[in-house]
Amino acid sequence: MDRQQTSAGTVDEREVAQFSRLAAHWWDQQGPMAPLHKFNPVRLAYVRDRTAAHFARDASRLDSLAGLRVLDIGCGGGILSEPLARLGASLVGADPSENNIAAARHHAAQSGLTIDYRATTAEALAEAGEIFDVVLAMEVVEHVADLSLFINVAAKMVKPRGLMFVATINRTLKSFALAIVGAEYILRWLPRGTHQWEKFVTPNELEIALERAGLHIIDETGVIYNLLGDRWQISSDMDVNYMVVAEKA
Amino acid sequence: MALDTMAQIKTDVLIVGGGFAGLALAVALRKALGPSFAVTLADPALVANHAADERASAIVASVRRLFDTIGVWGEVAGRAQPIVDMVVTDSRLTDAVRPAFLSFAGDVEPGEPFAHMIENRYLIEALAAMAKAEGITLQSSAVGKISHELERVHAELRNGLLVSARLLVAADGARSAIRAQAGIATHGWNYGQSAIVLNVGHERDHGGRAEEHFLPAGPFAILPLKGRRSSIVWTESTSDAERIVALPHDEFHAELEQRFKLHLGEITVLGARRVHPLGFFVARSFIAERIALVGDAAHVIHPIAGQGLNMGLKDVAALAEVIVEAARLGLDPGATAVLERYQRWRRFDTMTMGIATDGLNRLFSNHSDILRLARDIGLGLVERVPALKRLFMREAAGLVGEVPRLLRGELL
């Protein structure tokens, strides 16, 4: 397959273009990003609860993440960055797409939030020597060109004793049925071509990449869609969507 | 007044309406989220004196737990009469003896009666005092025009203030002006029935017993108040109700006695007789952009099972829970996803309760002997199957299904 890649190697240009077209629609909850808005509470709760527990914070407070420096890699329009900033985190949102960053900045200003959005890549940030208490790679690794290269770069930016979160989709028959056929073709939750099944990542591949990058897995969990309640929830089933949190030694 | 010349305040949630639902929501949000989450409540009646209002309500166990959890019940517990048992009869007006077809006794949990009766004003006063003590921004003003701008909803107050909120909660009653402005239609009907509501004093103690007599014109309920007093909810066709309530004292007393009977000794009318037309409606949606309806603004049901006020507080418990969860995740409490969760949680329960109370009323408010036989067999069955009875009691107490945490007595 002939795929253009940036010199740094982990950004897949074709996919950047795909999301850029959607940038203006990030914040329309009934729009193309509706599935992500639906998914947001469950991943936010996971990030908040695990981070609060790790840094001895009270998760029920409205400033539960105050003072923590957090990097959101592939922040898109800021759907994850904004709520974390509202909880007091000092947020850097990075996305290679200028359109996404423009949309994210515009919306943060509307929301009265200060977020440091940068149209840049994880590699560039790592090269500049940036470090964070928490690094987030949520719904990102299934879009990168080289998993272990990406994880190494991201891990470099985690402070000692800091955390890295990864949320992604497993590469199983079930995920092909649900995440590709179901979500893109039947339910039309996502535009066709959003995901490529062969780029999905198994928990085992992810664990190996994280451990090799000097991170120690603290917890992993599945996420499933509850059809009756029309919401996503934590589950032991990691066959499709799952999340992992790891600590830097 | 032009928008740009109005004094403006920013708030997270603006609650329009300072009745039970509005005040309880304000207090619940403050207790859970603290002062950094701004709650503003607007109602021109905030300065009104409630002392003359003698109306009373049944507070079911789950709603009592909510009041307890937000710290209000302790203030009024001494004024509240526990309902320790309840007798239901199906009778004609002329029946000398009313055989009890159904009786409920006992507690939902040990020591916790399934309902309490209390005068509205004590609860409203306690809620208003708590809202004030908690530092909620109170505006004694009606709300005028609503508009939307950049992920916020703006409300022009009649006192000249412009309130910019992330979520507006309409708790402004059955004729909700907010609901009308949001363009939300309602569906429902009038029953052609009205309720005569009054309090009576009686010679003998009621022993905490509530009575509901299904008379052909509609239910006649005797609900025990503290002291030798009871609250009467007396249903008649609207024309009869208006005629009866306007009768001279002696004739009114005779009509009342014919229904109340003399088992509690001589009775005396206390205070005013009022008449309220009965209807049933449900808002077609409980939510609109950055707006949520609660309480009577969302639904009014037949008072046959005493569930109207309780339904409103169940809305409050569910809405408070989804707002608190969203705020603690840093999410926008007025976002569509948050409001949809509230609507999904409450609208089905409301429809079920609305249809059940409507069916109950249609089943009983008539003169048909066949229906009478059918309902007596049904009630007899419930009477003889303890598990069924317990389920009805827990359902009436609001303890069945996915119960919001405040209704289970848990802090948010």
Side-chain angles (χ1 to χ4, degrees):
Chain A
M1 210 182 298
D2 181 32
R3 195 174 297 156
Q4 277 189 303
Q5 298 195 349
T6 61
S7 53
T10 72
V11 177
D12 186 321
E13 291 290 349
R14 200 178 58 133
E15 296 207 330
V16 170
Q18 168 91 352
F19 278 112
S20 292
R21 282 195 293 279
L22 298 170
H25 302 293
W26 278 104
W27 285 92
D28 178 1
Q29 295 210 0
Q30 269 92 34
M33 287 300 163
L36 201 52
H37 285 283
K38 274 253 154 73
F39 192 69
N40 216 22
V42 72
R43 61 181 188 166
L44 261 172
Y46 189 71
V47 169
R48 177 200 61 183
D49 291 346
R50 288 280 158 191
T51 305
H54 188 77
F55 292 99
R57 305 299 182 90
D58 177 356
S60 74
R61 287 180 61 101
L62 295 183
D63 60 354
S64 55
L65 306 181
L68 294 175
R69 190 155 196 260
V70 178
L71 170 65
D72 180 8
I73 301 175
C75 65
I79 291 173
L80 186 63
S81 295
E82 279 200 17
L84 294 171
R86 216 175 262 126
L87 293 177
S90 166
L91 239 294
V92 174
D95 198 288
S97 157
E98 294 277 0
N99 284 348
N100 283 348
I101 290 299
R105 281 187 183 139
H106 179 72
H107 196 270
Q110 274 181 24
S111 305
L113 292 166
T114 309
I115 295 172
D116 183 359
Y117 282 120
R118 303 188 203 171
T120 185
T121 60
E123 295 85 345
L125 284 167
E127 256 165 51
E130 300 264 7
I131 53 163
F132 300 88
D133 297 294
V134 178
V135 172
L136 305 171
M138 310 298 270
E139 285 73 52
V140 167
V141 298
E142 68 272 26
H143 301 286
V144 302
D146 183 331
L147 175 70
S148 54
L149 179 56
F150 173 82
I151 293 289
N152 272 327
V153 164
K156 233 185 261 175
M157 292 185 279
V158 183
K159 283 183 191 169
R161 294 268 301 128
L163 297 179
M164 176 154 159
F165 288 85
V166 180
T168 188
I169 307 176
N170 198 347
R171 194 173 65 254
T172 60
L173 240 116
K174 200 158 141 189
S175 75
F176 183 77
L178 294 177
I180 304 280
V181 180
E184 293 183 17
Y185 288 82
I186 299 174
L187 295 169
R188 306 271 170 88
W189 280 353
L190 302 173
R192 288 181 196 177
T194 300
H195 287 122
Q196 295 159 269
W197 180 78
E198 59 286 3
K199 285 177 76 176
F200 286 175
V201 179
T202 67
N204 190 40
E205 289 163 353
L206 184 60
E207 283 159 21
I208 290 169
L210 286 166
E211 299 279 355
R212 279 189 185 152
L215 294 158
H216 163 68
I217 313 281
I218 296 179
D219 184 66
E220 46 188 27
T221 183
V223 186
I224 60 163
Y225 177 70
N226 174 339
L227 200 68
L228 272 179
D230 185 27
R231 61 170 186 241
W232 291 87
Q233 62 191 42
I234 293 292
S235 160
S236 57
D237 175 0
M238 293 176 59
D239 286 352
V240 188
N241 293 83
Y242 67 98
M243 301 187 283
V244 174
V245 55
E247 181 188 6
K248 184 127 163 200
Chain B
M1 205 181 297
L3 276 180
D4 48 6
T5 63
M6 293 177 87
Q8 195 180 131
I9 60 167
K10 278 197 162 189
T11 188
D12 288 298
V13 176
L14 169 64
I15 298 167
V16 179
F20 289 106
L23 286 167
L25 180 64
V27 173
L29 291 177
R30 174 55 57 104
K31 295 256 175 184
L33 297 172
S36 64
F37 188 84
V39 178
T40 304
L41 188 147
D43 189 335
L46 277 174
V47 287
N49 186 351
H50 298 280
D53 188 352
E54 297 142 344
R55 286 173 301 172
S57 296
I59 305 296
V60 299
S62 60
V63 172
R64 190 203 61 77
R65 289 183 191 180
L66 177 151
F67 285 131
D68 199 22
T69 310
I70 65 172
V72 169
W73 188 254
E75 303 294 316
V76 298
R79 310 265 194 193
Q81 170 64 49
I83 297 180
V84 299
D85 74 352
M86 183 163 172
V87 180
V88 179
T89 77
D90 184 8
S91 46
R92 298 183 188 87
L93 204 51
T94 51
D95 288 350
V97 179
R98 292 164 163 173
F101 274 95
L102 198 55
S103 61
F104 293 102
D107 300 340
V108 284
E109 298 291 337
E112 186 178 12
F114 71 88
H116 284 79
M117 281 299 296
I118 185 166
E119 280 98 331
N120 294 357
R121 62 185 161 110
Y122 297 131
L123 255 179
I124 284 284
E125 279 163 8
L127 281 165
M130 182 67 82
K132 208 172 199 175
E134 288 285 328
I136 287 152
T137 308
L138 301 171
Q139 294 288 337
S140 299
S141 171
V143 171
K145 204 166 147 271
I146 305 295
S147 56
H148 289 86
E149 191 188 332
L150 295 178
E151 315 262 353
R152 298 189 81 86
V153 55
H154 289 174
E156 293 175 37
L157 267 50
R158 300 274 188 224
N159 65 7
L161 204 62
L162 180 71
V163 181
S164 168
R166 292 199 282 166
L167 171 64
L168 188 156
V169 179
D172 54 345
R175 286 184 296 274
S176 170
I178 304 295
R179 186 185 67 220
Q181 277 201 62
I184 300 173
T186 61
H187 46 106
W189 49 81
N190 286 318
Y191 285 106
Q193 290 175 318
S194 289
I196 301 166
V197 178
L198 71 154
N199 293 346
V200 299
H202 33 73
E203 280 183 315
R204 281 195 283 279
D205 195 66
H206 44 54
R209 165 172 289 189
E211 302 177 29
E212 185 138 25
H213 303 293
F214 286 110
L215 301 174
F220 181 89
I222 303 172
L223 302 157
L225 294 173
K226 270 278 179 199
R228 289 178 180 166
R229 298 180 305 137
S230 291
S231 167
I232 307 295
V233 182
W234 169 4
T235 311
E236 294 285 343
S237 72
T238 295
S239 55
D240 280 345
E242 279 164 4
R243 179 182 58 76
I244 291 168
V245 87
L247 286 172
H249 176 270
D250 289 354
E251 288 172 53
F252 180 80
H253 198 273
E255 292 279 352
L256 176 63
E257 204 165 78
Q258 193 183 15
R259 289 163 178 83
F260 196 102
K261 308 289 184 194
L262 290 166
H263 58 297
L264 295 177
E266 280 296 325
I267 54 174
T268 33
V269 174
L270 305 171
R273 325 160 183 166
R274 299 162 199 277
V275 61
H276 301 284
L278 302 180
F280 162 72
F281 78 79
V282 179
R284 284 187 186 269
S285 172
F286 282 16
I287 57 174
E289 192 187 348
R290 297 201 172 268
I291 293 175
L293 311 183
V294 295
D296 289 354
H299 46 72
V300 167
I301 64 169
H302 196 285
I304 194 165
Q307 293 287 356
L309 180 149
N310 295 297
M311 296 283 287
L313 272 303
K314 289 180 193 175
D315 297 344
V316 166
L319 185 59
E321 189 162 328
V322 302
I323 292 173
V324 167
E325 277 183 17
R328 286 183 180 152
L329 288 176
L331 289 170
D332 178 350
T336 310
V338 176
L339 301 185
E340 273 176 352
R341 208 181 137 213
Y342 161 66
Q343 155 143 295
R344 215 170 16 251
W345 205 347
R346 287 303 304 151
R347 204 158 177 281
F348 177 73
D349 184 40
T350 304
M351 291 302 288
T352 314
M353 187 63 87
I355 288 163
T357 54
D358 181 63
L360 216 53
N361 185 53
R362 282 167 199 275
L363 185 60
F364 282 98
S365 298
N366 58 69
H367 295 266
S368 159
D369 284 332
I370 293 171
L371 277 180
R372 188 185 163 91
L373 182 68
R375 69 201 181 216
D376 290 351
I377 291 169
L379 287 181
L381 196 65
V382 175
E383 179 67 18
R384 278 168 195 81
V385 181
L388 207 53
K389 207 158 142 177
R390 186 167 163 76
L391 179 70
F392 271 108
M393 239 174 88
R394 290 188 68 83
E395 175 69 51
L399 295 169
V400 176
E402 196 193 348
V403 181
R405 285 166 62 185
L406 283 171
L407 296 175
R408 285 185 257 139
E410 293 168 20
L411 282 168
L412 284 178

